[in-house]
Amino acid sequence: MKGDYELERRQFVIGGVAIVVVIVYLIRLFTLQIMSDDYKKNADSNAFLKKIEFPARGSITDRTGQLMVFNQNSYDLMVVMNEEKGRLDTAEFCQALGIKKDFFIKRMDDIKNRAKNPGYSPYTQQMFMNQLSEKDFRVFQEKMYRFPGFYIQRRSLRQYAYPYAAHVLGDVAEVSPSDIEEDDYYQSGDYIGKQGIERSYEKELRGEKGVQILLRDAHGRIKGRYMNGELDRKPRPGKDLQLSIDLKLQALGERLMEGKIGSIVAIEPSTGEVLCMVSSPTYDPRTMIGRLRGKRHRELQMNPMKPLLNRSIMGQYPPGSTFKTSQGLTFLTEGIIDPEHTAYPCHRGFIFKGLRVGCHGHGSPLSLVPALSTSCNGYFCWGLYHMLGNKAKYGTVQKAMNTWRDYMVSMGFGYKLGIDLPGEKRGLIPNAQFYDNAYKSDWSGLTVISISIGQGEVNLTPLQIANLGATIANRGFFYTPHVVRSIKDTPLPKTFTERHYTKASREAYDWVVKGMRASVMGGTCHALNRSDIIMCGKTGTAQNRGHDHSVFMGFAPMDNPKIAIAVYVENGGFGATYAVPIGGLMIEQYIHGKLSAGSERRASEFQHRRISYGSGER
């Protein structure tokens, strides 16, 4: 009886196990076929080949319609791993492409490495080699039938027509894993804008991919389009961009800055359109294409002169005496000075309570217009000292300081202006808390007096200095600077068409314009005095640990201005030495569309002037 009981119990156990196994299989089959579409996707992958069709990337022209960036046919070699399955004659394949076997093995391993190739699937096309030349494509195409799993995919390769405006245009390169994670539009082997306009307007320029759904037989051979192409989607080309850049002006600026470190930025005051943006040293954008792009980029990264750095929007410099215009605007509007009668002494500088801020020799005492014309340090130091010490008006130095800061911020300083280029820096405008932290609340106007002449803690980008010129030209407002003038079939964002008014009064701007015009008529900008173009300007000599920086900010014509400009030459000395003559040539080129014979000779002279930067470490 006992034996029969144990046998019966074993039968129940075995039967129970069998039932559990059957139930598990049923659940799994239900999950695969009903609850999950993985099985269906794999089956579809065997039956279909989804062939991506890449759109033409949008072209880019300058403000006159001159073509700057366009496309050229290129060919990528794609592989479907599930079709290749080791059936390849590797030696013949490598010979056809002119590659080594080691490269082939490593490339195939990298494709299957999900860490390097997120979203990898053995059933979809993967990039094996990009940017085959027309010659390589034709040689390989003749033998392609012998290499199962490999396909040719046509796409366009970016071409840059001129060696100019590299920092504005940027470049295009293969997507990184982080790019793919950020936007599921991309897959391994796709291209994306990496810098400049190519980056900031990537979604407009790239267009939308198309797809062909091809039907395959059991052996993986293409049998035609699925449903006669009813489910295919045509690619939508990217949108063309017209830049505000004037190509001839840009070319001249890059010529004039050869052998120098610095920047030129020019803006059309009435629109905020950037007419040129020169960052020196620069590089030729035509070298940043094709398979050698990575090598060239590494070389530029290792260059101690930092040619990849767009100093126009990333360089943060003391503005020097160009900043005095913003001080005059603030002091006038706040009632600290009277433009016609307030006359501060300058005994070769601001000298008070043992503190001395030096200045060059000129007549004294001065009112505002001659103070701007001669670039008097003493005048603007006294103005800031009286503003920050005016307890009757402000109560405390902290409140006075923050009032000053509010004026500066309203003029576009201390924060990013919002230009349509990646990487813009904000510069620095200190406030009361900044100095409270630095001096434990024990400070006064004398402590920070150097900010009144654009030194000390104040830092601006060349773009911000040019925008100051545009704001003065407009007598009190500016538009957010932008380098794209129009997008095909798309309006510009409102942020580029709205006026930004400063806190300074219109009357204050009129007086500052008079001071800048007086500077051209007989002051520090007298080299710009000419009968055919009525220019206004302000020099700057920004102190530096080494040789001083040469700075100029101005606009022209004085009434109905067409161009505002900032020139910044590192270690160029006085503003009148480099920045003023360069600025004058740029203004002439834009206003007249060309240089006179005499100006062309001067341009050639400045083109060949070189400034020694020691070891080149910047």
Side-chain angles (χ1 to χ4, degrees):
M1 292 293 292
K2 183 176 180 182
D4 293 341
Y5 173 75
E6 289 179 354
L7 179 60
E8 185 178 350
R9 188 173 64 178
R10 284 188 198 137
Q11 289 176 341
F12 279 119
V13 171
I14 294 170
V17 170
I19 292 171
V20 169
V21 170
V22 170
I23 291 172
V24 168
Y25 272 107
L26 289 173
I27 292 172
R28 180 59 179 157
L29 285 171
F30 179 80
T31 303
L32 285 171
Q33 297 184 36
I34 307 300
M35 300 298 291
S36 171
D37 62 352
D38 289 347
Y39 181 82
K40 184 178 183 300
K41 284 181 179 178
N42 289 337
D44 286 348
S45 296
N46 284 317
F48 304 115
L49 173 65
K50 292 183 178 180
K51 185 179 179 182
I52 300 298
E53 291 188 302
F54 289 92
R57 198 169 175 88
S59 64
I60 301 176
T61 62
D62 85 331
R63 69 187 294 110
T64 67
Q66 189 75 32
L67 187 63
M68 297 179 71
V69 186
F70 58 98
N71 302 307
Q72 183 173 311
N73 283 340
S74 176
Y75 305 91
D76 294 340
L77 184 57
M78 313 298 290
V79 59
V80 178
M81 290 298 196
N82 194 54
E83 295 179 22
E84 190 273 329
K85 288 184 177 178
R87 295 183 289 161
L88 196 68
D89 184 333
T90 307
E92 185 180 12
F93 179 85
C94 292
Q95 185 179 14
L97 281 176
I99 61 176
K100 295 181 179 180
K101 186 175 181 180
D102 291 345
F103 173 84
F104 173 83
I105 294 171
K106 182 179 185 303
R107 185 69 194 119
M108 296 295 272
D109 289 342
D110 287 346
I111 290 172
K112 291 181 282 189
N113 186 332
R114 294 183 185 274
K116 295 182 179 180
N117 186 16
Y120 164 73
S121 169
Y123 299 100
T124 61
Q125 290 188 354
Q126 305 292 317
M127 175 74 72
F128 178 82
M129 182 181 289
N130 63 359
Q131 298 178 12
L132 269 66
S133 67
E134 188 79 27
K135 179 182 177 182
D136 290 341
F137 159 67
R138 295 195 182 283
V139 170
F140 185 81
Q141 188 181 36
E142 292 177 359
K143 300 181 179 181
M144 194 167 65
Y145 72 95
R146 305 180 66 164
F147 309 130
F150 283 88
Y151 301 87
I152 289 291
Q153 182 169 262
R154 185 192 299 267
R155 72 163 84 206
S156 57
L157 179 66
R158 215 59 166 154
Q159 295 288 330
Y160 300 90
Y162 300 97
Y164 309 121
H167 295 98
V168 173
L169 297 175
D171 66 318
V172 174
E174 192 171 338
V175 292
S176 65
S178 61
D179 292 327
I180 297 172
E181 289 179 10
E182 289 174 9
D183 190 338
D184 58 11
Y185 172 87
Y186 302 102
Q187 62 184 30
S188 181
D190 284 357
Y191 295 95
I192 190 173
K194 289 292 185 180
Q195 302 172 92
I197 285 300
E198 296 278 22
R199 182 71 179 185
S200 53
Y201 285 85
E202 166 65 14
K203 290 187 177 180
E204 289 81 3
L205 287 167
R206 75 187 185 190
E208 291 294 332
K209 297 175 187 172
V211 63
Q212 284 186 15
I213 304 176
L214 304 177
L215 192 62
R216 298 190 287 200
D217 63 17
H219 300 286
R221 293 173 298 200
I222 302 298
K223 304 301 290 183
R225 290 190 176 184
Y226 178 62
M227 294 181 63
N228 293 319
E230 289 184 18
L231 300 182
D232 292 355
R233 185 175 68 249
K234 291 184 178 181
R236 182 171 60 81
K239 296 180 179 180
D240 298 335
L241 302 183
Q242 182 183 40
L243 302 187
S244 58
I245 298 294
D246 182 297
L247 186 57
K248 291 182 179 179
L249 188 66
Q250 181 76 25
L252 175 61
E254 294 191 19
R255 277 181 58 201
L256 296 173
M257 290 298 289
E258 287 182 19
K260 309 164 191 69
I261 294 177
S263 171
I264 304 173
V265 179
I267 297 173
E268 183 178 63
S270 60
T271 62
E273 294 175 2
V274 176
L275 302 173
C276 83
M277 180 175 284
V278 177
S279 179
S280 182
T282 186
Y283 59 93
D284 187 341
R286 298 174 300 179
T287 65
M288 296 288 281
I289 61 174
R291 289 187 227 163
L292 295 178
R293 187 260 179 194
K295 179 182 178 183
R296 176 61 173 153
H297 190 267
R298 286 190 295 273
E299 290 173 353
L300 293 171
Q301 279 184 316
M302 297 298 291
N303 189 323
M305 302 294 276
K306 300 181 180 178
L308 288 175
L309 179 69
N310 186 353
R311 289 172 167 83
S312 299
I313 60 174
M314 298 176 181
Q316 299 175 95
Y317 300 103
S321 294
T322 61
F323 198 61
K324 291 172 182 174
T325 55
S326 68
Q327 304 309 285
L329 292 165
T330 303
F331 303 154
L332 280 171
T333 307
E334 283 294 292
I336 304 301
I337 60 174
D338 180 310
E340 296 184 90
H341 301 106
T342 301
Y344 290 129
C346 180
H347 305 293
R348 285 193 172 269
F350 173 81
I351 303 172
F352 188 65
K353 293 186 177 181
L355 177 66
R356 183 178 188 277
V357 178
C359 189
H360 57 279
H362 56 73
S364 176
L366 297 173
S367 58
L368 177 64
V369 170
L372 285 169
S373 173
T374 60
S375 197
C376 174
N377 285 343
Y379 184 93
F380 295 96
C381 287
W382 279 114
L384 183 68
Y385 175 74
H386 284 148
M387 180 176 178
L388 297 187
N390 193 335
K391 292 187 177 181
K393 184 176 180 67
Y394 303 107
T396 65
V397 67
Q398 283 82 4
K399 185 176 179 181
M401 184 72 214
N402 284 339
T403 300
W404 177 89
R405 184 274 318 274
D406 291 343
Y407 273 87
M408 298 305 103
V409 170
S410 77
M411 295 178 195
F413 309 143
Y415 293 89
K416 296 177 183 179
L417 281 167
I419 190 170
D420 50 348
L421 286 171
E424 182 189 5
K425 301 297 182 183
R426 60 181 291 176
L428 175 63
I429 293 294
N431 57 15
Q433 185 178 359
F434 179 94
Y435 289 121
D436 283 344
N437 294 337
Y439 298 104
K440 298 181 180 179
S441 300
D442 184 19
W443 58 279
S444 67
L446 289 178
T447 312
V448 303
I449 202 69
S450 61
I451 64 174
S452 66
I453 56 173
Q455 298 287 165
E457 293 73 31
V458 171
N459 276 323
L460 307 182
T461 65
L463 176 67
Q464 290 172 332
I465 300 173
N467 192 63
L468 170 62
T471 306
I472 298 172
N474 289 332
R475 277 62 165 180
F477 67 88
F478 65 90
Y479 296 94
T480 299
H482 50 285
V483 297
V484 168
R485 193 181 196 194
S486 65
I487 307 169
K488 185 178 180 180
D489 301 327
T490 304
L492 277 179
K494 288 185 178 180
T495 182
F496 299 136
T497 59
E498 295 175 349
R499 290 184 177 185
H500 302 275
Y501 286 89
T502 77
K503 290 174 63 66
S505 68
R506 170 60 191 252
E507 183 184 8
Y509 277 100
D510 289 338
W511 280 106
V512 168
V513 169
K514 290 179 182 178
M516 292 177 68
R517 179 60 187 155
S519 180
V520 172
M521 293 291 288
T524 55
C525 293
H526 63 87
L528 301 180
N529 192 13
R530 50 193 295 170
S531 59
D532 58 331
I533 305 175
I534 309 302
M535 302 190 197
C536 297
K538 182 71 196 75
T539 55
T541 304
Q543 294 178 3
N544 180 48
R545 291 179 181 176
H547 206 41
D548 293 342
H549 302 317
S550 180
V551 196
F552 168 72
M553 178 272 292
F555 61 91
M558 183 174 73
D559 298 316
N560 192 25
K562 304 296 183 184
I563 180 173
I565 191 167
V567 181
Y568 208 106
V569 181
E570 292 188 27
N571 305 137
F574 293 118
T577 304
Y578 277 98
V580 168
I582 288 176
L585 290 167
M586 295 291 287
I587 291 173
E588 179 184 346
Q589 169 66 43
Y590 188 69
I591 297 295
H592 291 326
K594 62 180 181 179
L595 297 179
S596 67
S599 293
E600 181 57 46
R601 287 192 294 272
R602 286 193 294 276
S604 180
E605 175 192 346
F606 274 95
Q607 178 182 356
H608 294 96
R609 279 194 194 181
R610 299 291 187 267
I611 297 176
S612 175
Y613 292 99
S615 64
E617 295 292 337
R618 305 303 299 165

